[in-house]
Amino acid sequence: MAEWKQRLTEYLSYIGDNPIMHAFVIILASLVLAWILDKVVIAWVKRMTGKTEAEFDDQFVELLHKPLFYSILVFGISVAASIIKFPAEIGDVIFPIFYTILLVMWTMFALKVTKMVLQRMAGNQQHFHILHAQTLPLFENLALILIIALSVYYIFSSWDIDMSAWLASAGIVGIAVGFAAKDTLANLFSGVFIMADAPYKIKDYIVLETGERGAVTNIGLRSTRILTRDNIEVTVPNSVMGNTKVINESGGPSTKYRIRAQVGAAYGSDIDLIEQILLKIAKEEKELCSYPEPVVRFRMFGASSLDFELMGWITEPANRGRILHHVNSAIYKAFAENNIEIPYAKQDVYIKEFPGVPTDKSSQSKPIEANLESEKTMPKESS
């Protein structure tokens, strides 16, 4: 550094020994160099990048020229100020001001370029699986904190302020805050992992282990919000979401969801006719997908019925209840039109005697029979 200043002084000695004149020449030279770099070199680079299809290089050059121009200018001003040899009280103020200006300018440049790079990486999910639209705000905030922290550290260092005491105090405060807000920190870290792992995303239809079912409306750092079919918003802490079983009905390669309509037919029914009726109902239901095609399965021989299942695909899991209602209604009507019995449980109850009524031996040989109906499908029982 000393040799560089000595050579510069030798070159400036050709125009006299006046320090103010030397400072003026240095400032003028830095201004000319900055102008040439901005109007010639950067302009040429812009023309070269304009021929490419990518937009990132054009935006990068556009952001670079301004801090580069002022960096050369501020560097020349700082060199000129050192030649004039201001008193120490003034120099200790002027030079940190120059360095602070440069650091602020380059910090703004770094923030903008980092945001551009992260957005570009988020758009290419084939190579960057962790970084996507949902996790992009998280990475942008982390980059913002890191860049600003480094910038503040170097700005304080340029003013000869010792940061070790500040860092030690921050460590102690961080430990105290960690113990006091452990639940909040657990939610925070769980939110980071949820955003990175992406088991679900906004607008996905999920079912929690506790039974709540609804669409994800927000994934925050502290909690996840779900809007149920009853139009009730459920807020679940991320620490709970990270440690529970979550069924994502919208997951997979598409949002299609398969519904199942189960129905029983009496023994002796025509199973081929039942299959034809169920497939016809599936084809006539407009909200069932034609691909994959609906299918009918004869599942099992039940206790009192032949159990069938009609399976079809819908585009959105949220429509499951409404479409299943239409399908079940159509099945009931079609079975009634074709005289296909849907069996239900029957129980025969034999009453031997009533409490408080004298027993008649002749009546014991002729028990009273009553038929009762229940909802569950059960075989006939005698008691």
Side-chain angles (χ1 to χ4, degrees):
M1 187 68 179
E3 294 180 359
W4 179 80
K5 285 187 177 181
Q6 185 178 358
R7 290 183 181 181
L8 182 61
T9 305
E10 291 176 359
Y11 293 143
L12 293 175
S13 62
Y14 293 103
I15 60 174
D17 298 331
N18 190 345
I20 297 178
M21 181 62 69
H22 293 173
F24 177 76
V25 171
I26 291 174
I27 293 175
L28 182 61
S30 63
L31 182 61
V32 171
L33 180 60
W35 184 86
I36 293 174
L37 182 66
D38 184 51
K39 301 299 181 181
V40 178
V41 178
I42 297 297
W44 177 79
V45 174
K46 283 184 178 180
R47 287 196 297 270
M48 297 299 294
T49 56
K51 297 179 181 179
T52 61
E53 296 180 359
E55 297 181 356
F56 176 78
D57 50 359
D58 299 333
Q59 297 174 352
F60 181 82
V61 174
E62 183 66 26
L63 294 173
L64 179 62
H65 83 95
K66 186 175 180 180
L68 200 59
F69 176 86
Y70 286 105
S71 295
I72 297 174
L73 185 60
V74 170
F75 178 76
I77 295 174
S78 62
V79 173
S82 64
I83 291 177
I84 296 177
K85 296 180 179 179
F86 288 107
E89 294 80 5
I90 300 177
D92 293 340
V93 175
I94 292 178
F95 291 109
I97 290 176
F98 291 154
Y99 297 148
T100 301
I101 293 174
L102 286 179
L103 285 170
V104 170
M105 293 177 62
W106 283 105
T107 299
M108 298 300 296
F109 169 78
L111 290 174
K112 293 179 181 179
V113 171
T114 303
K115 186 175 181 179
M116 288 168 46
V117 172
L118 291 176
Q119 289 178 350
R120 188 175 181 85
M121 293 172 63
N124 189 1
Q125 296 186 15
Q126 295 181 352
H127 296 86
F128 304 99
H129 301 287
I130 296 179
L131 185 58
H132 46 79
Q134 301 300 324
T135 59
L136 179 59
L138 172 63
F139 284 96
E140 287 181 347
N141 291 331
L142 291 177
L144 174 66
I145 294 172
L146 180 61
I147 293 173
I148 291 180
L150 290 174
S151 178
V152 170
Y153 175 79
Y154 285 110
I155 288 175
F156 275 81
S157 299
S158 66
W159 289 89
D160 293 330
I161 298 176
D162 188 10
M163 294 293 295
S164 58
W166 292 82
L167 294 175
S169 301
I172 296 173
V173 172
I175 294 174
V177 171
F179 279 107
K182 59 180 181 179
D183 293 336
T184 302
L185 291 177
N187 291 328
L188 176 64
F189 286 117
S190 298
V192 173
F193 294 142
I194 288 173
M195 290 183 178
D197 190 37
Y200 51 84
K201 58 183 181 295
I202 295 177
K203 294 184 179 180
D204 277 0
Y205 226 79
I206 65 174
V207 181
L208 302 182
E209 194 172 9
T210 53
E212 289 86 354
R213 177 176 179 266
V216 179
T217 57
N218 181 62
I219 304 174
L221 290 177
R222 192 194 67 83
S223 63
T224 297
R225 298 178 185 175
I226 304 171
L227 187 65
T228 66
R229 295 296 291 169
D230 296 329
N231 204 30
I232 297 174
E233 189 174 67
V234 179
T235 302
V236 186
N238 285 331
S239 59
V240 176
M241 295 294 293
N243 295 309
T244 189
K245 178 182 177 182
V246 179
I247 300 175
N248 189 351
E249 295 183 347
S250 301
S254 68
T255 59
K256 287 185 178 181
Y257 180 85
R258 187 158 69 173
I259 62 173
R260 302 170 184 266
Q262 299 176 347
V263 63
Y267 277 91
S269 302
D270 188 347
I271 59 175
D272 295 327
L273 177 60
I274 293 174
E275 184 175 356
Q276 294 175 6
I277 292 173
L278 293 179
L279 288 176
K280 180 180 178 182
I281 291 172
K283 292 179 180 179
E284 291 178 351
E285 177 56 47
K286 297 180 180 179
E287 295 192 77
L288 283 178
C289 300
S290 58
Y291 182 82
E293 294 182 353
V295 294
V296 176
R297 293 290 182 263
F298 181 9
R299 286 302 183 192
M300 64 181 295
F301 296 94
S304 58
S305 64
L306 305 174
D307 296 334
F308 290 83
E309 189 174 51
L310 170 61
M311 296 178 291
W313 294 86
I314 60 177
T315 56
E316 294 293 338
N319 301 328
R320 180 186 69 179
R322 177 170 53 82
I323 299 176
L324 194 58
H325 162 74
H326 294 164
V327 172
N328 285 334
S329 300
I331 290 174
Y332 182 81
K333 294 176 182 178
F335 274 33
E337 291 175 359
N338 290 273
N339 297 320
I340 299 175
E341 180 185 356
I342 300 177
Y344 55 91
K346 296 179 181 179
Q347 293 179 341
D348 295 336
V349 181
Y350 294 88
I351 303 176
K352 294 183 178 181
E353 61 182 14
F354 289 99
V357 178
T359 303
D360 187 0
K361 293 183 179 181
S362 61
S363 64
Q364 291 182 1
S365 60
K366 297 180 180 180
I368 302 174
E369 182 179 339
N371 292 334
L372 301 177
E373 298 178 2
S374 61
E375 294 182 357
K376 295 184 178 180
T377 304
M378 298 176 58
K380 294 184 179 181
E381 298 178 355
S382 299
S383 58

